[in-house]
C-alpha cells in the first residue's frame, strides 16, 4: 500500500527520522509504536504530505508521492487524524463531516452563486453519507452542535468520521485513543476493527497503549530515535530486548525473558 | 429641525453607510469566512475608485482616459481591476500568517497610494479627477438626485449581500470556513487551501473595488486623500467586529451602526459651547476611541455572531445550537 | 564622496536610529504580547510632548528633560495596557490590534486637546552643523542620535542576556506556554516590556522632534516604517529590530543617491515606498526576518 | 449609571436645539480640523470666530445672533461630504464658509452643496479645476487659482534679478498647482529651472532631496510647501547642509512658524509671495492688530485673512439677502463683495448693517483682497511680496 524508502528528515542539525524504510500492507492494521521523540508523528506527517522529507521516497501503490501536497494525497485515498484534535471549531458536527465529502461542484465559487442547481444532487449524497457516518459513530445526537463544543473523545470520533467521509484506501490514526476514557476507547477500537473487517479499510496507527495495539494490530513497527527498531507481531516485539531498552532506558531494568 | 433637511441628511448618510456596508461584506468574505487579515482595504478601494473614475469621467488632458463609459461598465471594470490587484497580492503573500499578511497588505496599499499620488499622467496626481458622473444623471435635479443614487447604491448592496449569502451557504463557503478554522485538517480532507484563500482574497478585493467606485461616483470627484489607508481600513474593521464577523447581516448592521456613531457624534459635539469650537472635533475622536474600547470589551462577538447556514435537506432539525 | 557621507549616510543613520528605537518596542510587544501595537507611534508623540512640557516649565535642554517624557510615556502605556489591552489578552489578537488602533486615536485626540494642534519646536533657529576639515558637515543632533542608539544597543544586549528579567522576556517571547509552565511571572514580563518599549519610544519621539518639530501626528506618521523595521529584524528580536530600523532608515535615504547616473536611483517621491517594498519582499522570502524571529 | 449618561446627553441635545432661539442665524463652516492640516486650524478657527464676534458685537445678524457651526472636513473627500451633509441638512445653514483644502472643497460642493443650492465660499482652495466647474454660481473662493500666483511669482523672482532656480513642492493640490504654473511661466520668461522635484509631506528628512536639488548651482530654492509641514524642515535642512541661503516661498511658507523654526537671521535674503489687498488698503494691518489684541498671536499665519473675510462675507450675504433663503445667497454675495458701493473693511459690521438697512450698496474690501468675483466665482488677486523684518513679515510690493 504505502512504501517508504530511506526516509530522512532533518530539522536544523537534528535527524528526527533517520533512514527509515518499510512498507504497509493492504487491508491490515499496522501499529507504529515507540517512545516519545521516536519520530512517529514526523513520519506520519511525511506520509500525509504535511512535511516533505530531506531525502528518501514515499510510494503509494507504486506511485512516487514524495513531493505531492497533502490535499492531493487525500484525493489519492490517504486520510489521517491528528494527535491533538483538529476539528473545524465553528462548523457544526454535520458540517465537519460534509466538508470532508467530495463536493467539487459546490466548491466552485461561480456555481455557488449562479448555478446552485448544479450541486444539489452531489450535496444530498454527501449529506446522506454524513448522516450514515454519524449514525455509525453514534454522534447523531450532537450533529447540530458546534464542533468546538464537543468533548475530547467526541472530537476524536469526529476526526475518524471525517477520514471515513474521504472513502480512503489508507487511514493514518495518530493516537486516536489518547486522553479518552476506556469505554469510548473500546468503542473506537471496535469501530476500527469493523471497518477493517467488513469494508477492507487499511489502517496505520500510532499508539502508546500497548494493550490497545495488541487488540487491533497484526503488524507492529517499533521506532526509536528516528530509526526502525524492529517489526513483527505484538508478542514478538513486546519481548524484544531492544524495545524494552528503548522504552525504559538502557540497563535501568533487568529484563527477563 | 427641518424634516425635509433631515430626510436628505438621511439620504446622504445611507449612501455612505451603503458604501461601507459593501466594504464590510467584502471584508467579511476575507476575514469572516476565510480568516485572512487584510489590512490594506484602502488599496483595493482606491484601485476600484480610480478605475471607474477614469473610465466614466469626461476626457481631460491631465489624466489618462476620461472615456465617458456608462457608470455600470465602470463599476464592473472596478471589480475586475481590484480583483486582479487582489490576485497579484494574494499570489505573492497569501501563505503568510495572519499578522504578517496584515503588514504586507498595509505595505502594498501604501505603495499603491504612492503610485496614485505620483503618477500624474495616470491619475492627475494630487489634483484629482473631476466631473465623474453618477448613474441616471439628469433624471432628477439638485439634491433629489441623491435619492436615485441612494437607490442605486442599495441595489448594489442587495446584490452583494445576495452573492455573499450564496457564497456562505454553499459547499464553497463551508470549505472556506473549514480552512479558516483549521488549515492542516482542511488539507488532510483534500482541500486546496491556497487556492481557496486566493479565491477569497480576489472576491473580497473585487467587492472592495466596487465600493471604491461607488464612492467616486458619489463625490463626483476623486483625489488621493479619498483613499487614506488607515482611516478607511480601520473603520471597516471596527464595523465588522462590532457587527459580527462571519455574519453577513451583522456586517451590514455593523456598517450602519458604526457609521452612525462616527457621523452623528459630530452633531452632538457641535452642540458644545462655542469656546469648544476647535476642540469639539478632538472630543469627537476621543469619544469614538472610547466607544470602540467599550464595544471591544462588552460586545466583542458582535451584534450578530456567526452562525452556520444549516443544511437544506436536514429535515429532522433539532434545535440549532450554532 | 563627502556629499554621500554628509547628506545621505549620516542622515540615514540618524533616521534609522529613530526608527530603530520605535521598532524595538514594537518587536518586543509583538513577541511577548503577540499583537501589532498600532498606538506605538503615538506613544512616541506622548514622550515628545511630555518632554516639551518639561522644557517649557523647567527650562531644561530637551535631552535633560527627556526623563520626564519617558516617565510620562511609560505611565500612559502601562495605564492603557491595564485598562484596554489586558481584558482582551486571552482573545484572538485581532481584538487587541483593533483596540490599539482605538488607543492611537485616543492618544492623538488627548494630545490635541491638551497641547493643541499647532507645531512646536524644542529649540528655535537653525542648528549650525559640526564642520570638520571643511569636509564633514554633520548635525550635532545626528551624532547624538547615533550615540544614543549605540548606547541603547549595548544596554539592551546587557539587559537581555545578563539580567533575570531580560532572560524571562526572551523566554516568554520564544515560547509563552513553556514560560508559564516554568513558573515565570508573565505579567511582570509584560510590564517590563511596556516600560522598555515606552521609554525607547519616548526617546525616539524626542529625537524626531528635535530633528524637525513636534506635532500631534509626529509618531503616527512614522508607524509604518517602524513596523517594516520590526519585521525586517525578525519579530520578537529586539536587536533585530534595531538592525531593521537602521536598514530601513539607510535604504530610505540611500535609495535616492545617484548611484548609477547623475539622477537619483529612485525618485525621492518613492523614498518611503522602498521601505515597504523591502518589507514585502522580506515577508515573502524570509518571513522570519534578518535575525530569525518567531513565526506565528 | 450608563443609562443616565445617555439620557443626559439626549436631554442636552434636545435642550440645546430648542434653546437656539428662533432668530439666531447659523453660519456653516467647513474646516479641516483633524487630519493632515490640523496644525493650520487653530488660528483659522480664531479668525472665523473673530468674524462672527464682530458680527454679533456690531448688532448681530438679521434679527438675532450669528452662530458659527463647524463641520470637520478632515482634508479628505469623504469626511468633507459627510460634514457638509450635516451642515446643509441637519443644521440647515443658509451659507457655508469653507472648506480649506481644494479636495474637500470640491467634494463637498459637487456631492452636497451644489445639488442642495447652498453657496460655499472657500477662503483657500486654489485648484484650477474649480474654475470651470458647473456650479450654478454656488462655489466661490477668495484666493486666485494657482495659475495666477505662479505667474505673479515669476515676475517677482525675475524682478529680483534671479535667473536660475531649483523648485521643490509638496505633492498635494496646493503645491502641484502653483509649482507647475511657476515652472512653465519662469521658463517661458527666460529663467532657468535646474531642478523641479516634488516631495512627500510628513517626512522627517529631506536632506537627500536637497542635495539633488542643489546640483545645478541654482541661485535660490523655490519652496512651495506649508511651513508647518515640509516647508520649514526643507528650509532648515538646506541651511544646515550649506546648500542654499536664499529661499523663495508662497503663502504656505510665509508663516510665523518658519521664523520660529529657522530664525529670522537665516531668512534675510529670502522673499515670499502671498495674496494681499490692493494698493494702499490698510485693512490687513487693521485686522492683524485687532486679531492679535484678541488672541495674542497668530494674525500672520497663512490664510487667517482669507478665513476671516470669507466668514465675514458669508454673514454679509445673509444680511444683504434679508433672510436665510438659500436661493438669494449667490446674488447677495456678489452684491456685497463687488464694487460699486460704499467700502466696508474688516470689523465694520455695524456700518455695513446700517447701510444695508438703508438700502445702500456696499463693497467689502477685505484684509486679503478686494474680492471682485468673476463669472466663475473666482477673484483676480493681488499678490504681495513679503520679506522677513524682525520677527515677522513685511509687505514691500504689490503685483497684479
Amino acid at each position: 500500500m504505502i512504501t517508504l524508502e530511506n526516509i530522512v528528515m532533518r530539522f536544523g542539525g537534528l535527524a528526527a527520522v533517520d533512514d527509515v524504510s518499510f512498507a504497509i500492507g493492504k487491508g491490515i492494521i499496522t501499529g507504529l509504536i515507540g517512545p516519545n521523540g521516536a519520530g512517529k508523528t514526523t513520519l506520519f506527517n511525511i506520509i500525509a504530505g504535511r512535511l516533505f522529507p530531506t531525502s528518501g521516497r514515499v510510494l503509494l501503490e507504486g506511485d512516487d508521492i514524495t513531493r505531492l501536497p497533502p490535499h492531493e494525497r487525500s484525493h489519492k485515498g490517504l486520510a489521517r487524524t491528528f494527535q491533538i484534535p483538529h476539528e473545524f471549531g465553528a462548523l457544526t458536527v454535520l458540517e465537519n463531516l460534509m466538508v470532508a465529502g467530495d463536493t467539487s461542484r459546490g466548491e466552485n465559487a461561480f456555481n455557488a452563486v449562479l448555478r446552485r442547481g448544479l450541486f444539489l444532487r452531489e450535496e444530498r449524497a454527501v449529506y446522506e453519507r454524513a448522516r450514515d457516518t454519524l449514525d455509525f459513530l453514534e454522534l447523531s445526537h450532537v450533529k447540530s452542535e458546534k464542533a468546538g463544543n464537543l468533548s475530547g473523545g467526541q472530537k476524536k470520533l469526529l476526526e475518524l468520521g471525517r477520514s471515513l467521509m474521504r472513502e480512503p484506501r489508507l487511514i493514518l490514526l495518530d493516537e486516536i485513543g489518547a486522553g479518552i476514557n476506556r469505554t469510548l476507547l473500546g468503542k473506537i477500537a471496535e469501530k476500527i476493527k469493523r471497518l477493517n473487517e467488513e469494508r477492507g479499510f487499511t489502517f496505520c496507527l500510532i499508539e502508546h497503549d500497548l494493550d490497545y495495539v495488541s487488540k487491533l494490530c497484526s503488524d507492529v513497527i517499533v521506532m526509536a530515535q528516528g530509526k526502525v527498531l524492529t517489526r513483527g507481531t505484538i508478542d514478538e516485539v513486546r519481548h524484544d530486548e531492544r524495545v524494552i531498552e528503548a522504552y525504559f532506558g538502557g540497563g535501568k531494568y533487568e529484563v527477563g525473558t | 429641525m427641518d424634516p425635509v433637511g433631515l430626510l436628505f441628511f438621511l439620504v446622504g448618510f445611507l449612501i455612505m453607510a451603503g458604501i461601507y456596508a459593501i466594504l464590510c461584506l467584502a471584508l467579511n468574505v476575507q476575514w469572516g469566512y476565510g480568516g485572512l487579515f487584510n489590512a490594506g482595504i484602502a488599496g483595493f478601494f482606491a484601485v476600484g475608485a480610480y478605475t471607474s473614475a477614469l473610465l466614466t469621467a469626461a476626457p481631460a488632458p491631465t489624466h489618462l482616459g476620461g472615456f465617458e463609459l456608462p457608470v455600470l461598465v465602470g463599476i464592473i471594470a472596478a471589480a475586475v481591476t481590484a480583483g486582479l490587484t487582489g490576485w497579484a497580492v494574494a499570489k505573492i503573500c497569501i501563505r503568510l500568517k495572519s499578522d504578517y499578511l496584515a503588514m504586507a497588505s498595509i505595505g502594498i496599499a501604501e505603495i499603491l497610494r504612492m503610485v496614485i499620488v505620483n503618477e500624474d499622467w495616470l491619475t492627475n496626481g494630487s489634483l484629482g479627477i473631476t466631473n465623474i458622473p453618477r448613474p441616471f444623471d439628469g433624471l432628477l435635479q439638485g439634491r433629489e438626485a441623491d435619492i436615485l443614487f441612494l437607490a442605486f447604491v442599495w441595489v448594489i448592496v442587495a446584490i452583494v449581500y445576495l452573492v455573499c449569502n450564496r457564497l456562505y451557504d454553499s459547499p464553497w463557503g463551508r470549505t472556506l470556513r473549514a480552512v479558516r478554522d483549521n488549515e492542516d485538517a482542511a488539507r488532510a480532507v483534500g482541500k486546496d487551501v491556497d487556492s481557496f484563500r486566493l479565491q477569497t482574497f480576489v472576491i473580497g478585493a473585487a467587492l472592495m473595488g466596487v465600493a471604491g467606485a461607488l464612492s467616486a461616483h458619489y463625490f463626483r470627484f476623486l483625489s488621493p486623500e479619498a483613499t487614506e489607508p488607515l482611516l478607511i481600513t480601520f473603520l471597516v474593521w471596527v464595523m465588522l467586529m462590532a457587527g459580527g464577523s462571519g455574519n453577513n447581516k451583522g456586517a451590514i448592521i455593523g456598517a450602519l451602526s458604526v457609521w452612525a456613531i462616527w457621523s452623528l457624534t459630530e452633531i452632538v459635539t457641535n452642540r458644545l459651547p462655542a469656546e469648544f469650537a476647535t476642540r469639539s472635533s478632538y472630543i469627537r475622536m476621543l469619544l469614538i476611541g472610547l466607544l470602540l474600547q467599550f464595544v471591544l470589551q462588552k460586545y466583542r462577538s458582535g451584534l450578530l455572531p456567526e452562525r452556520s447556514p444549516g443544511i437544506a435537506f436536514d429535515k429532522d432539525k433539532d434545535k440549532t445550537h450554532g | 564622496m563627502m556629499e554621500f557621507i554628509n547628506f545621505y549616510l549620516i542622515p540615514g543613520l540618524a533616521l534609522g536610529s529613530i526608527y530603530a528605537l520605535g521598532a524595538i518596542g514594537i518587536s518586543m510587544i509583538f513577541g511577548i504580547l503577540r499583537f501589532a501595537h498600532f498606538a506605538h507611534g503615538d506613544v512616541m508623540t506622548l514622550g515628545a510632548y511630555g518632554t516639551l512640557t518639561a522644557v517649557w516649565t523647567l527650562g531644561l535642554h530637551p535631552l535633560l528633560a527627556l526623563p520626564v517624557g519617558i516617565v510620562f510615556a511609560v505611565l500612559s502605556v502601562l495605564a492603557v495596557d491595564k485598562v484596554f489591552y489586558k481584558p482582551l489578552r486571552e482573545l484572538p489578537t485581532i481584538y487587541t490590534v483593533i483596540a490599539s488602533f482605538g488607543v492611537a486615536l485616543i492618544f492623538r485626540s488627548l494630545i490635541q486637546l491638551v497641547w493643541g494642534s499647532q507645531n512646536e519646536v524644542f529649540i528655535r533657529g537653525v542648528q549650525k552643523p559640526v564642520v570638520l576639515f571643511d569636509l564633514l558637515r554633520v548635525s550635532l543632533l545626528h551624532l547624538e542620535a547615533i550615540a544614543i542608539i549605540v548606547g541603547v544597543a549595548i544596554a539592551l544586549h546587557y539587559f537581555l542576556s545578563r539580567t533575570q528579567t531580560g532572560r524571562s522576556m526572551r523566554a516568554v517571547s520564544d515560547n509563552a506556554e513553556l514560560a508559564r509552565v516554568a513558573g515565570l511571572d508573565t505579567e511582570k514580563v509584560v510590564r517590563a516590556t511596556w516600560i522598555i518599549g515606552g521609554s525607547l519610544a519616548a526617546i525616539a519621539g524626542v529625537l524626531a522632534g528635535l530633528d524637525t518639530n513636534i506635532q500631534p501626528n509626529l509618531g503616527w506618521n512614522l508607524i509604518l516604517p517602524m513596523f517594516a523595521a520590526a519585521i525586517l529584524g525578525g519579530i520578537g528580536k529586539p536587536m533585530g529590530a534595531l538592525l531593521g530600523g537602521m536598514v530601513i532608515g539607510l535604504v530610505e535615504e540611500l535609495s535616492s543617491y545617484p548611484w548609477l547616473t547623475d539622477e537619483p536611483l529612485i525618485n525621492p517621491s518613492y523614498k518611503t515606498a522602498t521601505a515597504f517594498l523591502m518589507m514585502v519582499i522580506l515577508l515573502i522570502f524570509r518571513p522570519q526576518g534578518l535575525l530569525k524571529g518567531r513565526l506565528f | 449609571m450608563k443609562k443616565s449618561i445617555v439620557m443626559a446627553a439626549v436631554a442636552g441635545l434636545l435642550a440645546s436645539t430648542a434653546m437656539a432661539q428662533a432668530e439666531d442665524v447659523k453660519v456653516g463652516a467647513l474646516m479641516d480640523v483633524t487630519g493632515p492640516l490640523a496644525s493650520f486650524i487653530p488660528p483659522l478657527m480664531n479668525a472665523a470666530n473673530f468674524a462672527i464676534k464682530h458680527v454679533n458685537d456690531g448688532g448681530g445678524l438679521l434679527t438675532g445672533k450669528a452662530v458659527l457651526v463647524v463641520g470637520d472636513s478632515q482634508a479628505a473627500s469623504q469626511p468633507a461630504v459627510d460634514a457638509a451633509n450635516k451642515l446643509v441638512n441637519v443644521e440647515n445653514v443658509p451659507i457655508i464658509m469653507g472648506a480649506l483644502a481644494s479636495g474637500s472643497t470640491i467634494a463637498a460642493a459637487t456631492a452636497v452643496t451644489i445639488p442642495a443650492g447652498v453657496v460655499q465660499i472657500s477662503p483657500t482652495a486654489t485648484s484650477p479645476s474649480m474654475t470651470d466647474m458647473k456650479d450654478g454660481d454656488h462655489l466661490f473662493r477668495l484666493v486666485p487659482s494657482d495659475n495666477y500666483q505662479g505667474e505673479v511669482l515669476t515676475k517677482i523672482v525675475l524682478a529680483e534679478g534671479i535667473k536660475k532656480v531649483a523648485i521643490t513642492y509638496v505633492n498635494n493640490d496646493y503645491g502641484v498647482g502653483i509649482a507647475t504654473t511657476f515652472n512653465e511661466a519662469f521658463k517661458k520668461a527666460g529663467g532657468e529651472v535646474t531642478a523641479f522635484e516634488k516631495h512627500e509631506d510628513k517626512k522627517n528628512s529631506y536632506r537627500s532631496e536637497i542635495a539633488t536639488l542643489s546640483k545645478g548651482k541654482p541661485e535660490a530654492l523655490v519652496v512651495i510647501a506649508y511651513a508647518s509641514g515640509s516647508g520649514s524642515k526643507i528650509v532648515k535642512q538646506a541651511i544646515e547642509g550649506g546648500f542654499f541661503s536664499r529661499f523663495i516661498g508662497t503663502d504656505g511658507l510665509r508663516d510665523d512658524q518658519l521664523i520660529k523654526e529657522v530664525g529670522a537671521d537665516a531668512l534675510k535674503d529670502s522673499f515670499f509671495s502671498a495674496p494681499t489687498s490692493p494698493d494702499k488698503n490698510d485693512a490687513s494691518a487693521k485686522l492683524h492688530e485687532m486679531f492679535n489684541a484678541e488672541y495674542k498671536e497668530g494674525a500672520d499665519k497663512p490664510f487667517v485673512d482669507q478665513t476671516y473675510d470669507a466668514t465675514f462675507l458669508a454673514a454679509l450675504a445673509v444680511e444683504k439677502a434679508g433672510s436665510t433663503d438659500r436661493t438669494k445667497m449667490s446674488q447677495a454675495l456678489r452684491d456685497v463683495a463687488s464694487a460699486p458701493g460704499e467700502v466696508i473693511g474688516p470689523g465694520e459690521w455695524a456700518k455695513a448693517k446700517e447701510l444695508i438697512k438703508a438700502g445702500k450698496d456696499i463693497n467689502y474690501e477685505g484684509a486679503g483682497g478686494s474680492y471682485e468675483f468673476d463669472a466663475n466665482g473666482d477673484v483676480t488677486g493681488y499678490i504681495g511680496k513679503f520679506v522677513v523684518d524682525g520677527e515677522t513679515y513685511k509687505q514691500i510690493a504689490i503685483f497684479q
Side-chain angles (χ1 to χ4, degrees), chain D residues 216-230:
Chain D
K217 308 266 177 255
E219 297 164 60
L221 180 62
V222 180
V223 181
I224 298 168
Y226 305 122
S228 54
S230 53

Side-chain angles (χ1 to χ4, degrees), chain A residues 50 70-71 74-75 78-80 82 85-92 94-95 98-101 103 106-109 112-114 116 119-120 123-124 127 131 141 143-146 162 166, chain B residues 163 165-167 169-172 174-175 177-182 184-193 196 199 203 306-311 313-322:
Chain A
R50 196 175 166 215
H71 64 272
S74 173
H75 287 294
L78 253 167
R80 74 171 299 186
F82 293 86
H86 278 36
E87 79 284 355
F88 302 126
L91 272 62
T92 64
L94 183 61
E95 284 177 321
M98 288 186 69
V99 163
T103 50
E107 281 180 13
N108 178 312
V113 177
L114 292 174
R116 293 174 74 83
F119 55 83
L120 262 177
E123 185 76 347
R124 175 170 286 278
Y127 170 70
R131 290 304 304 263
H141 60 291
K143 74 174 165 57
S144 304
E145 194 74 46
K146 276 195 179 176
R162 225 164 46 191
R166 301 292 309 157
Chain B
V163 167
N165 248 2
R166 288 192 155 198
L167 285 172
D169 178 18
S170 76
W172 186 86
R174 190 167 62 211
T175 303
R177 284 153 61 224
V179 167
R180 172 198 67 192
D181 282 0
N182 199 313
D184 279 330
R187 286 207 173 90
V189 294
K191 308 302 174 191
D192 186 348
V193 168
F196 270 94
Q199 293 176 40
I203 293 172
E306 175 180 353
R307 44 175 306 191
S308 288
I311 309 291
F313 339 95
D314 196 16
K315 290 286 183 289
D316 55 322
K317 275 190 186 118
D318 44 14
K319 260 197 339 237
T320 318
H321 299 273

Side-chain angles (χ1 to χ4, degrees), chain D residues 105-387:
Chain D
T105 307
I106 296 175
T110 51
V112 182
T113 57
I114 296 171
V118 175
V119 165
Q120 205 182 324
I121 315 165
S122 170
T124 54
T126 52
S127 171
S129 55
M130 279 166 66
T131 302
D132 323 314
M133 241 159 63
K134 291 183 223 84
D135 60 17
D137 211 25
H138 286 109
L139 187 56
F140 295 83
R141 56 173 157 188
L142 301 192
V143 278
S145 139
D146 292 327
N147 296 340
Y148 187 73
Q149 199 179 149
E151 277 163 25
V152 175
L153 187 60
T154 305
K155 286 189 216 165
I156 300 179
V157 173
L158 289 172
E160 276 277 330
I162 298 174
K163 289 268 159 50
K164 199 172 168 189
V165 296
I167 306 171
T168 184
Y169 58 98
V170 59
N171 190 3
N172 64 19
D173 44 17
Y174 175 79
V176 174
I178 296 182
T180 316
T181 15
F182 173 72
N183 184 33
E184 281 162 16
F186 193 68
K187 280 185 197 159
K188 208 188 270 171
E192 188 188 342
V193 176
T194 61
F196 180 67
E197 297 290 342
K198 59 190 161 200
H199 62 257
E200 279 264 312
D201 204 5
K202 300 200 275 193
K203 302 279 319 165
N204 273 337
S205 168
Y206 296 96
R207 294 178 182 88
S208 55
E209 281 96 329
I210 300 166
T212 315
L213 285 166
S214 71
K215 279 273 152 54
K217 308 266 177 255
E219 297 164 60
L221 180 62
V222 180
V223 181
I224 298 168
Y226 305 122
S228 54
S230 53
S232 298
K233 298 179 198 171
I234 288 177
V235 171
K236 196 171 162 188
Q237 291 170 6
I239 297 171
E240 285 170 357
F243 290 112
F244 292 95
S245 55
R246 196 165 199 198
F247 301 90
I248 299 161
T250 49
D251 45 349
L253 195 63
R254 197 221 56 170
D255 182 342
D256 291 347
Q257 184 73 33
L258 181 70
I259 300 177
K260 186 163 145 194
E261 292 198 20
V262 180
D265 282 353
L267 295 168
K268 57 183 188 298
D269 292 333
S270 304
F271 56 92
F272 307 85
S273 69
T276 188
S277 332
D279 36 69
K280 282 209 44 97
N281 187 343
D282 58 352
S284 178
K286 188 176 147 204
L287 175 66
H288 290 186
E289 196 180 308
M290 289 191 289
F291 190 94
N292 281 339
E294 177 86 14
Y295 299 103
K296 308 214 173 26
E297 56 164 13
D300 217 41
K301 293 279 180 188
F303 316 122
V304 163
D305 294 352
Q306 289 83 356
T307 305
Y308 176 92
D309 290 342
T311 316
F312 203 82
L313 272 172
L316 277 177
V318 175
E319 187 71 34
K320 173 77 182 178
S323 73
T324 55
D325 184 353
R326 288 170 177 177
T327 56
K328 291 183 182 160
M329 290 304 154
S330 70
Q331 191 50 51
L333 178 64
R334 284 180 179 282
D335 286 348
V336 295
S338 320
E342 185 143 347
V343 172
I344 297 291
E348 300 178 341
W349 180 260
K351 182 177 163 198
K353 198 174 166 80
E354 203 66 28
L355 288 167
I356 289 170
K357 206 168 165 192
K360 294 249 177 64
D361 199 3
I362 61 166
N363 172 23
Y364 181 73
E365 303 266 307
S370 63
Y371 311 131
E372 307 292 321
F373 294 113
D374 66 11
N376 297 317
D378 284 0
V379 291
T380 345
Y382 296 86
I383 304 288
K385 178 184 174 189
F386 293 80
V387 292

